[in-house]
Structure formats: C-alpha cells, structure tokens
Amino acid sequence: MKILILSNRVPFPQNGGYPIVVRNTILGLVNEGHEVSVFTLNNKKQLTDIQTNDELINRIHYQSYDIDISISAWDIFINLFRKKTYSIDRFYDIGFERLLITELKQKKYDIIQFEGLFMSSYVAAIRKNSTAKLIYRAHNIEHLIWQRLSEQKNDPFKKTYLSLLAKRIKTFELMYLESFDAIAALTQQDKQQMLKFSTQIPIRVLPVGIDISRYKPDYNKTEFPSLFFLGALDWMPNREGMEWFLENFSTELTEGDLRVKFYVAGHNIPDDFDDYQVLGKIFIQGEVDDALEFVNSKAIMIVPLLSGGGMRVKIVEAMAMQKCIITTSLGAEGLRYQHGYNILIADNRNEFHDAIKRCIADEAFCKEIGDNARKLIETDHDMNVVTAQFIKFYKELIKA
C-alpha cells in the first residue's frame, strides 16, 4: 500500500508522546513493506533539525514545511472576540496545502492518515485531489482536554477563556469527524466518547505501539528510592499536574515523611519551574539526552495528571522499562491496568502520599509492580502487533 501520513509536528527525534506514536507507526508500516510518505509542519519558533542518524528517514518520502504556529498574549485576547478556533486555525497554511496538492497530483495514495485534529483543515483540499481513504488518528478528544482544564481553574478569566475555547474546539471537532472515512482511536474511552457524538463512520481502537526491543531495564543502574517525572511541560495538562504535585509535596519531600530525591525532566520546561528546585532534593533537569537512560536510572514514576485525554505514551514507555508508576485514573486511561498489580492509582493528595510512602519503603514491592507492568506492555503494546492491526484496518477500508 501507498500511505501518506500528515503530522502537525516533526516526529524526529522522539522527544515526546506525539512523535513517539507517529514514528513508531511509520516504522511499523515500513518494516512490513509498505511505501510511506510523511508530510509534516515544523514550527519556526522551535525548528526541529532532522537527525541524519535516524535511518528511518532514508526509508520514507519525507517533506517538512516551516510554519509559525506560536500564540501571543494578543492573539489570545483577540480570539475572545472571534468565532474562529485560533488554536486550530494556526496550523493551516496555504503554502503547505499547495505542497500537498502537488504531491497528490503526482502520486496516487491508498491511505492518507491525519495524525490528530490539527491537520483536519486540509481535508477539503485532499478530498478534491485524491481518492485515497482518509483516516483520522485521534490521539485524544481535543475539546475534552480544554474542558477539563477549565474545570480545574479557580481564576474566573482563565476558567471562562478555557471553557470558551473548549466549546469552539468541540464545534470544529464534531464538524470534521464525519469528513473522514474512518477513525483510529488510541483508547476505548475515546471511542465511546465519539459514539456519544453519534459518529457514523467506522471507529477502531488501535493503541500506542512501541518497539519492545528498545526497552532494556537494568536495576543495577537504578537509584532507589527516587521519584521522577518525565514529560513535555509546554503541554498544559502536564504543567498543571506538576504544579499541583510540587505545591502539595515539595515540603513533604524535603522536610516531611516523604524524604526522597525527586527529578523533573522533559521537553520545554518553563523557566519558572526553577523556583521549585531544592539543592540536593528536588532537581529540575530540563530535557535529557537519553530519555530511556534517565527512566532506567530512577525508581518510581509520578504522573499527576488532572486533565487531558488519550493515552500517556510516557507511561507506556516507563511500564516497558519495568517502572513502578503512581498516576491518576485519568493518567492511566486507555491502559488495561490493575491497581496494585501493575500500576498504582492515586486520585487525591492523601492517596498520592500513601502510595509514595509505601513505594519508597519497599523496593521489592516496586519491582513486582514494574515486572507486571512490563508484561502488560508486551501483551498489549508491541509495535508489531499494533501495526498488523492497522494494516488489517486499512485493507478492510480499501475493500469497502
């Protein structure tokens, strides 16, 4: 099959959940002998250089298009008085659309896959220039993220603005869902939510797939006890969750009964997070050179997600690295988990406190949780298994 994947972010390197999902999808399809093209937007304010040592780039037809998708405080203010959904509209560029049209006139594709809602603005132009089946890859239900964020805010302006944004995104999201031939959802929860919207097109749950062979845990290099967080802190749900955790537990970690080193690492950590750093106790490390090496070096992962949606790729990766993970019910969404067996669920401050206290005092317990977590990932999230499910789905749509 000839497959075109459209991405709103460069999937190289794998420095976040979105690029990990997209790159593994590409890799799985290429390994199965399919011809894959990837057209991606590249934010001018955070230009990503293509890593020449990633051999996958040489196995695909790749096009990157520079675009400015930054949002200023003025844009946020003006958006209050417009009916447009600026957070989505900023991903539309006439030059990128012309590039796509040129490509479609030169090459006939069987499948065109849109990686997330932000690429949906190009559906109409693609429909006019291609007979390919169009697949919407739902990384999450976008408007639910903003709705849940608004519910967490006490500031009246922020609550009102986020609620307004959620309503506008919902209108856009529901309008475009029926524009595709099928939807690939990451979680069963997202599928059920879409069905509540009376979505008529086929929806298949195809979870995050990872290359299991890359994940090689080594307990001899793990600091126990230690807590860590790894994630992009320019994504609002991550930032909100970490701010909540640090505000609630920084004293406990440094002076209370949870005295354990806590490491925070990830992409685009805001400068004001440095204020949380405590010498020798709380470390704000920023982006790390090797994410898996960082994960391996720490014992207990904290994912205090209070809003958001979809599946947390960093949790999948940490489970593959046999880590004991403490997260919320929302953070574990989409995983076929068992609380107390392969993950620990904590939905409030007291539950987080008790979970951390038990984990830092019982290394054998943490290892048991981590071992069971790895087994779950091997069963449900092997890239080869997920790729086979994707290919089957594609073939069914082409025959329909």
Side-chain angles (χ1 to χ4, degrees):
M1 285 183 287
K2 292 183 174 63
I3 302 164
L4 172 60
I5 291 178
L6 304 180
S7 171
N8 63 265
R9 178 179 170 186
V10 174
F12 315 100
Q14 293 186 280
N15 58 2
Y18 181 90
I20 289 170
V21 172
V22 176
R23 186 191 182 280
N24 284 345
T25 301
I26 298 166
L27 178 61
L29 293 170
V30 170
N31 285 346
E32 290 299 316
H34 298 284
E35 187 178 329
V36 179
S37 299
V38 179
F39 279 50
T40 177
L41 299 176
N42 194 0
N43 185 6
K44 287 183 178 180
K45 292 295 179 71
Q46 297 172 337
L47 283 178
T48 301
D49 293 327
I50 299 303
Q51 292 190 340
T52 54
N53 61 348
D54 191 329
E55 55 84 26
L56 180 58
I57 298 172
N58 298 321
R59 301 172 65 189
I60 62 176
H61 172 41
Y62 182 82
Q63 287 279 351
S64 174
Y65 185 88
D66 295 349
I67 184 174
D68 186 359
I69 57 173
S70 58
I71 298 180
S72 67
W74 177 251
D75 293 325
I76 292 173
F77 177 74
I78 290 296
N79 189 48
L80 286 170
F81 308 100
R82 294 176 175 172
K83 292 184 178 181
K84 291 186 176 182
T85 310
Y86 184 70
S87 59
I88 296 175
D89 293 340
R90 64 199 175 106
F91 287 89
Y92 176 78
D93 186 279
I94 186 65
F96 183 70
E97 183 173 86
R98 288 171 181 156
L99 183 67
L100 286 175
I101 292 172
T102 299
E103 173 70 11
L104 295 175
K105 287 180 177 180
Q106 295 175 350
K107 192 172 189 178
K108 180 179 173 61
Y109 285 97
D110 302 298
I111 296 288
I112 299 177
Q113 184 158 303
F114 295 68
E115 294 288 347
L117 184 66
F118 299 124
M119 301 305 289
S120 299
S121 299
Y122 300 99
V123 168
I126 289 173
R127 280 287 187 203
K128 292 178 182 178
N129 293 278
S130 176
T131 58
K133 295 293 184 179
L134 307 189
I135 313 297
Y136 173 51
R137 181 81 168 282
H139 289 245
N140 47 53
I141 307 294
E142 192 67 30
H143 76 267
L144 284 182
I145 294 175
W146 298 98
Q147 180 180 311
R148 289 166 175 169
L149 279 169
S150 72
E151 292 167 356
Q152 295 291 330
K153 299 299 181 184
N154 293 319
D155 182 288
F157 175 78
K158 290 181 179 179
K159 181 180 280 290
T160 300
Y161 179 78
L162 291 172
S163 179
L164 174 64
L165 187 59
K167 290 176 182 177
R168 290 179 178 176
I169 293 175
K170 183 177 182 179
T171 299
F172 181 94
E173 203 161 12
L174 298 187
M175 177 179 68
Y176 270 94
L177 283 184
E178 299 298 327
S179 301
F180 298 93
D181 295 301
I183 298 172
L186 291 183
T187 71
Q188 186 65 37
Q189 290 91 333
D190 284 354
K191 176 180 178 178
Q192 293 305 315
Q193 190 66 48
M194 289 178 184
L195 291 175
K196 289 181 182 178
F197 301 148
S198 300
T199 306
Q200 300 298 312
I201 61 176
I203 305 174
R204 186 73 53 86
V205 177
L206 297 166
V208 171
I210 61 172
D211 181 359
I212 300 292
S213 65
R214 292 186 62 240
Y215 301 85
K216 301 173 181 178
D218 182 356
Y219 280 123
N220 293 322
K221 297 180 179 179
T222 299
E223 174 190 355
F224 188 92
S226 60
L227 301 180
F228 75 98
F229 170 85
L230 177 64
L233 283 172
D234 55 352
W235 190 55
M236 285 184 66
N238 275 347
R239 176 169 181 165
E240 169 201 61
M242 279 311 303
E243 287 175 339
W244 173 86
F245 182 80
L246 286 164
E247 287 165 7
N248 277 276
F249 288 100
S250 58
T251 302
E252 293 277 8
L253 295 173
T254 57
E255 302 174 19
D257 63 344
L258 301 179
R259 294 196 183 187
V260 59
K261 291 180 179 179
F262 180 44
Y263 302 84
V264 179
H267 189 57
N268 289 337
I269 295 182
D271 291 339
D272 57 8
F273 264 68
D274 289 340
D275 296 338
Y276 292 111
Q277 191 155 258
V278 177
L279 186 63
K281 297 177 180 180
I282 298 177
F283 305 83
I284 308 298
Q285 295 189 221
E287 190 165 3
V288 293
D289 293 333
D290 188 325
L292 294 185
E293 183 178 311
F294 171 77
V295 171
N296 186 70
S297 70
K298 309 296 178 282
I300 304 155
M301 187 181 200
I302 302 296
V303 188
L305 201 68
L306 308 177
S307 60
M311 185 176 289
R312 304 277 62 78
V313 180
K314 290 301 182 184
I315 291 182
V316 173
E317 288 201 303
M319 293 179 95
M321 291 296 290
Q322 296 176 215
K323 293 298 150 182
C324 179
I325 300 167
I326 305 172
T327 187
T328 60
S329 300
L330 188 60
E333 191 171 273
L335 295 168
R336 197 169 48 84
Y337 68 87
Q338 291 177 259
H339 168 57
Y341 178 74
N342 49 27
I343 202 168
L344 296 176
I345 302 299
D347 285 322
N348 56 52
R349 188 188 185 284
N350 289 339
E351 290 176 0
F352 260 99
H353 179 279
D354 293 345
I356 295 170
K357 189 171 184 178
R358 180 176 184 185
C359 287
I360 63 178
D362 193 340
E363 185 173 5
F365 173 69
C366 288
K367 286 184 176 180
E368 182 180 354
I369 294 289
D371 290 344
N372 293 332
R374 170 76 181 209
K375 292 173 184 175
L376 174 67
I377 300 306
E378 290 175 347
T379 301
D380 289 6
H381 299 279
D382 186 315
M383 182 185 72
N384 296 322
V385 174
V386 175
T387 298
Q389 295 170 350
F390 256 109
I391 293 170
K392 180 181 179 182
F393 188 39
Y394 291 159
K395 289 181 177 178
E396 290 172 358
L397 290 170
I398 292 171
K399 290 179 181 179

